[in-house]
Amino acid sequence: MSHAAVARLAERLRAPVRSVADLTAVVEACEAVRMAGAGADPALEAELRRAAPNADPLLMDSALGLASGDLRHHARILDGAEAALGTAPLEALNHILWSIVRQQFMASMDAASMPDFATGRLLPFYERLIGEIARRLDLRPIPRAAGAPATGRAVLVTNQFLSANHQPSRDLLDYATMVEERIGKEVVILNTNMMPAALHTLFVPPFAANVEPTFDGKQIVDVDGRSFRMLSSTEPAITAEKLGWFLRAVEWHDPDVVIGFGGAVMVADLLAPARPTLTIPTTTGVALSMADIVLDYGGASPPQGHARLAAAWRPFRTRFSLRGEPGGMSRADLGIGDESFVCAVVGNRLDEEVGDDFLALLEAVIDRVPRALVLFAGGVETLPRRLARSRHAGALRCLGFVDDIRGLLGLSDLFLNPPRTGGGGSAAHAMADGVPPITLPQGDVASVVGPAFTVPDRAAFVERAAALAGDAGLLERARAEARARYAAISAGESAAAQLAAYIDEAVALFARRTAA
């Protein structure tokens, strides 16, 4: 055990925690313990609990989880939350839920430490939390009458709509267009903002979601020449007034189906007892959903260990809406010579996703391909300082947020994916523009790009990049294969027909459920 790193973490846990800066200091100490290899030491927990006996229990358990990656610490947090389910503030329970979901999404935890965590612990907690919200706030959605005629309407519910530059928001509008134009149902979007927008617990790392303040009340959203009706609330996540407003809106519109877009779409799940419901996930992994039908992200296989969710699962492949037109940027615009072999790394969370291990992997690629230039596109704060310390700092360049992402991809030779859960939309953009991706076998990108662009390990990652950089013919064939893969996974007509059939099935399942 690295006693110095553990001692620093114990000191942080003993100190008063009054601000985000204090929580950030705990996070940094946890990461130091993990990097020193002390997080997996069985004596770590006993040492920290002895050294900081008065630390907040949630802070202690989440710090232990972050330092070790062991999901059993998150299971202990859920034990405490469930014990206080009837008395703890709903905002605190919601913050615990989303903080754990965030860590799952960021792939920060060791899935092998508790393989059934998502289906055996997190999903049951989510189901009970939905029931507790309904009970405490007296939310009783009026059931749709059995045998009621179709209205030709659908409601799409999302936890977060931000802008046309936010990939999940664009994808939501793509599905709204599909449901209206190809399935023939009038759509209303509910933007519920149910993720916590402020800190309500001492969970580390601290998490608060973004909310777009201009989207409040009844809205008409205009994107790419199309208009969409949206009802949006920027109130704090869980209030009777806010949730009641959404439930009354659904009752008034009387849709044939309620479609939840993403996981843990609480308003959609509050409606599940009263309406036909369907969930379209936005990432791989277990979808937190109580819908009649839960679609798969990449057409893989049903979840194991939870009978209701396994019965609701249906094969599907999530679509991505492309941003802009290709080819709007040149290498000269960025001061890049024609001799450079440009590798793009794209994401919204690069400070967290580009860790030391991935930087070491990129350095190994540059060792093999000296003319490689790695461009990082996405908002960053800490990454430039870490890149500056690299032995290949001159070949690693942060561009910050890039509005013309397709222009950037158009001048790139490869798309290199960090080890992460997200990134599926960026990989789809890369393939659409003929940029071959390289990814390890995990997360959304591996699901999107398929076996041809997935490598088994770090050594194969470097070999694949070097081979493509050294063989123009191989690179051109990979470009063609990338375009073909995108065309195969983006077939709109087949996706629309499949989604229409699942909507009809959800309606039929609801009819049988209510008749029983």
Side-chain angles (χ1 to χ4, degrees), residues 190-191 216-218 230-233 235 240-250:
L190 304 187
N191 177 33
D216 193 34
K218 295 182 179 181
M230 184 167 75
L231 304 180
S232 182
S233 173
E235 283 188 45
E241 293 76 16
K242 171 181 176 173
L243 294 176
W245 182 61
F246 283 126
L247 298 188
R248 289 191 300 274
V250 171

Side-chain angles (χ1 to χ4, degrees), residues 97 125-126 128 153 169 176 191 208 211 231-232 289 300 331 363 407 440 457 476 481 494 503:
L97 169 77
F125 173 75
Y126 174 71
R128 287 190 279 273
R153 291 188 286 270
S169 299
N191 177 33
V211 173
L231 304 180
S232 182
S289 173
R331 292 192 172 200
E363 289 175 336
L440 294 168
D457 52 38
E476 193 56 39
E481 193 169 2
S494 60
I503 287 174

Side-chain angles (χ1 to χ4, degrees), residues 257 278 293 295 314-316 497-507:
V257 65
L278 178 146
I293 288 181
L295 304 185
R314 299 292 185 276
F316 193 69
Q498 197 176 24
L499 182 58
Y502 288 143
I503 287 174
D504 290 342
E505 186 182 2
V507 172

Side-chain angles (χ1 to χ4, degrees), residues 17-27 58-59 62 89-100 102-103 194-211 236-237:
V17 178
R18 300 190 179 95
S19 66
V20 174
D22 294 334
L23 290 172
T24 301
V26 175
V27 171
L58 178 59
L59 179 66
S62 60
L90 290 175
E91 293 290 2
L93 296 168
N94 190 49
H95 192 256
I96 289 170
L97 169 77
W98 282 104
S99 296
I100 291 177
R102 172 74 170 180
Q103 289 300 92
M194 290 300 292
M195 292 184 284
L199 302 183
H200 297 277
T201 72
L202 296 183
F203 195 107
V204 291
F207 170 64
N210 294 326
V211 173

Side-chain angles (χ1 to χ4, degrees), residues 213-483:
T214 61
F215 292 135
D216 193 34
K218 295 182 179 181
Q219 303 275 325
I220 298 294
V221 181
D222 295 305
V223 176
D224 296 339
R226 281 195 52 85
S227 296
F228 303 88
R229 289 194 298 162
M230 184 167 75
L231 304 180
S232 182
S233 173
T234 58
E235 283 188 45
I238 301 179
T239 68
E241 293 76 16
K242 171 181 176 173
L243 294 176
W245 182 61
F246 283 126
L247 298 188
R248 289 191 300 274
V250 171
E251 180 185 346
W252 188 86
H253 285 284
D254 192 20
D256 298 324
V257 65
V258 173
I259 302 173
F261 188 69
V265 184
M266 292 181 165
V267 169
D269 288 324
L270 285 166
L271 287 159
R275 297 268 166 179
T277 51
L278 178 146
T279 289
I280 301 174
T282 55
T283 187
T284 50
V286 174
L288 300 185
S289 173
M290 299 168 66
D292 294 295
I293 288 181
V294 179
L295 304 185
D296 191 83
Y297 178 85
S301 58
Q304 303 299 312
H306 194 285
R308 181 192 58 73
L309 188 60
W313 178 90
R314 299 292 185 276
F316 193 69
R317 177 165 293 284
T318 297
R319 284 165 44 88
F320 298 97
S321 172
L322 297 182
R323 280 173 49 190
E325 298 295 327
M329 185 185 299
S330 71
R331 292 192 172 200
D333 293 334
L334 298 176
I336 299 172
D338 291 338
E339 74 285 354
S340 293
F341 188 76
V342 177
C343 303
V345 180
V346 181
N348 292 323
R349 294 166 290 271
L350 293 181
D351 282 334
E352 299 165 283
E353 292 171 341
V354 180
D356 291 342
D357 287 347
F358 186 62
L359 285 179
L361 182 58
L362 294 177
E363 289 175 336
V365 169
I366 298 168
D367 287 339
R368 292 289 303 278
V369 187
R371 63 190 181 97
L373 174 64
V374 182
L375 302 180
F376 298 86
V380 292
E381 293 182 5
T382 63
L383 182 58
R385 293 194 294 275
R386 291 190 286 123
L387 297 184
R389 297 194 293 267
S390 169
R391 57 190 173 86
H392 286 308
L396 302 167
R397 185 189 303 179
C398 273
L399 302 179
F401 176 78
V402 175
D403 185 58
D404 184 12
I405 194 64
R406 297 195 68 184
L408 173 65
L409 290 169
L411 59 81
S412 299
D413 296 296
L414 290 182
F415 175 93
L416 303 183
N417 185 53
R420 57 180 172 181
T421 299
S426 299
H429 278 75
M431 292 192 300
D433 292 332
V435 183
I438 305 178
T439 185
L440 294 168
Q442 65 187 82
D444 298 355
V445 171
S447 173
V448 169
V449 305
F453 300 104
T454 300
V455 295
D457 52 38
R458 294 166 59 89
F461 192 106
V462 175
E463 289 300 324
R464 175 67 170 166
L468 290 169
D471 187 331
L474 180 63
L475 180 61
E476 193 56 39
R477 290 192 294 275
R479 286 185 178 279
E481 193 169 2
R483 293 189 183 96

Side-chain angles (χ1 to χ4, degrees), residues 150-154 175-187 226 256-257 496-497 499-500 503-504:
T151 63
R153 291 188 286 270
Y175 277 106
T177 301
M178 178 188 293
V179 172
E180 286 200 335
E181 295 185 353
R182 302 187 184 185
I183 300 177
K185 293 188 182 295
E186 180 186 358
V187 170
R226 281 195 52 85
D256 298 324
V257 65
L499 182 58
I503 287 174
D504 290 342

